[in-house]
Amino acid sequence: MGPLLVVMAAVGLAAALGLWSPDLSPLDTIVVGLPAWASLSLLMAVVVLLVPVYWGEEFGWTSYLRLRIFTDRPILSVTVTGLIWAVWHYPLAFVGYIEFENVPLGLFIWTVAFLFQEIILAWLRLRSGTIWASSLAHAGNNMVLFLLTGMLLPNLDINTTTLLVTAPLAAISTWIVLSGQFKSDKSAESEDGPLVSRSTSGRSGPSNPGGF
């Protein structure tokens, strides 16, 4: 349900800034012939079915890379992972997947959005102890958050829409960081500890097993 709440926050912010006149009629076009509530329910079900599709990215970034860089500095680890994740997506801006009117500015805004998303995804991974939670959130981001905001805010350019979506993500990320979620005792019980112990046992050398 998180992506739906972020959609509400993003379009609410757009309305408050005078960028959007509340109109939910586009939601009736998600699935032709179905009312908006039924289409949204179907969309949420599809999100669950697509979780395995997004597992790959989440395993690679949030559950593999993040646990192997800056293992003693979780916030830096999340930040670097988010930056790498963002840069990995840059080619999509040149093959028609996403079209920025101003590419350098668009990539910068996109990168900021990726960073805040990674903070939330890493937090979900840490709190749940499983990659499936962040995979579900990743699917929700793509199939609900960005899909619905694009439908509800069709007259705004992609950069403005991304900024509106990023605002609530930034608020959530700020709470996660400032409340010490990555510094809590739970972090010591996560896979970070055992991973470092396993990789350094019985041999000498640097304690960072996946350093580049």
Side-chain angles (χ1 to χ4, degrees):
M1 299 300 294
L4 282 178
L5 295 176
V6 176
V7 170
M8 294 171 60
V11 298
L13 179 60
L17 295 174
L19 300 174
W20 180 62
S21 297
D23 177 16
L24 300 179
S25 61
L27 298 181
D28 292 323
T29 64
I30 297 177
V31 178
V32 178
L34 288 182
W37 66 268
S39 295
L40 287 175
S41 300
L42 181 61
L43 185 61
M44 297 298 286
V46 170
V47 166
V48 177
L49 294 176
L50 289 179
V51 167
V53 175
Y54 294 95
W55 172 87
E57 272 192 79
E58 285 309 300
F59 175 79
W61 309 125
T62 308
S63 197
Y64 184 87
L65 176 62
R66 186 188 62 81
L67 297 179
R68 287 165 170 77
I69 56 174
F70 306 107
T71 55
D72 58 339
R73 302 177 66 182
I75 295 178
L76 180 59
S77 174
V78 171
T79 301
V80 173
T81 300
L83 286 172
I84 295 173
W85 182 37
V87 172
W88 184 76
H89 282 79
Y90 282 6
L92 297 179
F94 302 96
V95 295
Y97 179 84
I98 186 169
E99 297 180 356
F100 297 115
E101 293 182 3
N102 183 322
V103 175
L105 177 61
L107 291 178
F108 173 76
I109 295 174
W110 215 21
T111 300
V112 173
F114 273 109
L115 286 173
F116 287 127
Q117 287 182 72
E118 181 57 29
I119 290 174
I120 297 171
L121 293 171
W123 173 68
L124 289 171
R125 169 70 179 81
L126 175 64
R127 286 297 298 260
S128 67
T130 172
I131 196 58
W132 294 108
S134 55
S135 298
L136 177 61
H138 193 145
N141 283 351
N142 284 30
M143 299 305 300
V144 176
L145 176 54
F146 292 101
L147 174 64
L148 295 185
T149 50
M151 293 182 66
L152 292 171
L153 306 173
N155 297 323
L156 299 182
D157 64 89
I158 187 65
N159 285 343
T160 302
T161 301
T162 304
L163 284 173
L164 290 169
V165 170
T166 301
L169 296 179
I172 297 170
S173 299
T174 299
W175 170 77
I176 290 173
V177 172
L178 295 183
S179 63
Q181 297 294 309
F182 290 123
K183 298 179 181 178
S184 66
D185 291 338
K186 287 186 283 296
S187 64
E189 302 171 2
S190 70
E191 292 185 3
D192 302 48
L195 177 67
V196 175
S197 299
R198 286 194 303 268
S199 57
T200 58
S201 61
R203 64 178 177 85
S204 60
S207 60
N208 185 348
F212 290 96

